[in-house]
Amino acid sequence: MLYTIIKALHIIFMVSYFAGIFYLVRIFVYYKDTDAFEEEKKKILREQYTFMARRLWNIITVPAGIIMAVCGIIMIFLNFGLMKTPWFHLKLTFLIGLAIYHYWCWKKVKELTKLNGNTLETANIKLRQANEIATFILFLVVFTVILKSSVIEYWWQLITGFFVLVFLIMMTVKLVNKNKKNK
């Protein structure tokens, strides 16, 4: 029963964490979108986006990430047999990717707070593409957890499907960004 409760908490805080990460990078995109605005509007919006990013990071994303990680570690201790399964090693590998992405987001929040309303140097398209990384990691983790050993057995089909998905999402982002420029 304890394991099931911890698992439920892990899932709930995973959803909260990903909601925070998804919205955080959108805030970076919105901040960058203000480059074309008049100075007064740009100043007001950039101040607001910086405030929102800091609050989102400190009040939702990081606390949810910590609780998610603690619950995950408790689940490992309650069911140490997970460490003997190849699919779980794959999940842990994807979580290392998530940790790297988390670090990148943290650096961007720090950069935003130090900009003092100045221009974010990262290209808009790069921010829009970076916004999809959390989605890809979420797909990888969820499919690995749900399919377990089948992920190992059918790895090439899943990898092919994943790369098709990545390609389609990236092309959609480019197309939307291109159409936005033409308006």
Side-chain angles (χ1 to χ4, degrees), residues 119-182:
T119 301
L120 184 61
E121 292 301 320
T122 309
N124 193 298
I125 188 72
K126 296 290 182 201
L127 290 170
R128 289 176 186 278
Q129 289 172 333
N131 192 48
E132 303 307 326
I133 292 172
T135 304
F136 301 144
I137 294 170
L138 182 61
F139 266 86
L140 291 168
V141 170
V142 169
F143 271 88
T144 301
V145 170
I146 298 299
L147 296 175
K148 294 183 176 29
S149 298
S150 297
V151 167
I152 306 303
E153 187 178 344
Y154 298 105
W155 67 271
W156 69 270
Q157 293 97 326
L158 292 167
I159 293 291
T160 302
F162 177 74
F163 281 115
V164 167
L165 177 70
V166 168
F167 177 77
L168 290 173
I169 290 174
M170 289 302 184
M171 290 296 101
T172 302
V173 168
K174 282 190 173 215
L175 181 65
V176 167
N177 204 44
K178 182 181 176 185
N179 287 341
K180 189 177 174 189
K181 284 181 184 178
N182 292 335

Side-chain angles (χ1 to χ4, degrees), residues 35-165:
D35 285 355
F37 294 179
E38 61 186 51
E39 277 311 307
E40 187 177 334
K41 185 176 181 181
K42 183 189 303 187
K43 181 183 183 307
I44 292 167
L45 285 173
R46 286 183 174 179
E47 188 176 301
Q48 182 63 34
Y49 290 142
T50 302
F51 173 78
M52 289 167 64
R54 258 193 350 261
R55 298 281 301 251
L56 178 62
W57 184 255
N58 292 323
I59 296 172
I60 296 172
T61 309
V62 170
I66 290 169
I67 295 169
M68 172 187 70
V70 167
C71 289
I73 291 167
I74 291 170
M75 285 172 29
I76 291 170
F77 281 109
L78 292 175
N79 183 8
F80 205 74
L82 288 171
M83 294 302 289
K84 297 176 183 170
T85 59
W87 70 265
F88 193 74
H89 293 168
L90 187 59
K91 177 189 175 185
L92 292 176
T93 302
F94 298 145
L95 294 180
I96 290 169
L98 181 60
I100 293 166
Y101 185 72
H102 179 93
Y103 177 76
W104 177 84
C105 288
W106 175 70
K107 296 298 276 184
K108 281 290 173 209
V109 170
K110 291 290 190 193
E111 182 182 343
L112 219 58
T113 58
K114 290 179 183 174
L115 283 176
N116 217 14
N118 292 316
T119 301
L120 184 61
E121 292 301 320
T122 309
N124 193 298
I125 188 72
K126 296 290 182 201
L127 290 170
R128 289 176 186 278
Q129 289 172 333
N131 192 48
E132 303 307 326
I133 292 172
T135 304
F136 301 144
I137 294 170
L138 182 61
F139 266 86
L140 291 168
V141 170
V142 169
F143 271 88
T144 301
V145 170
I146 298 299
L147 296 175
K148 294 183 176 29
S149 298
S150 297
V151 167
I152 306 303
E153 187 178 344
Y154 298 105
W155 67 271
W156 69 270
Q157 293 97 326
L158 292 167
I159 293 291
T160 302
F162 177 74
F163 281 115
V164 167
L165 177 70

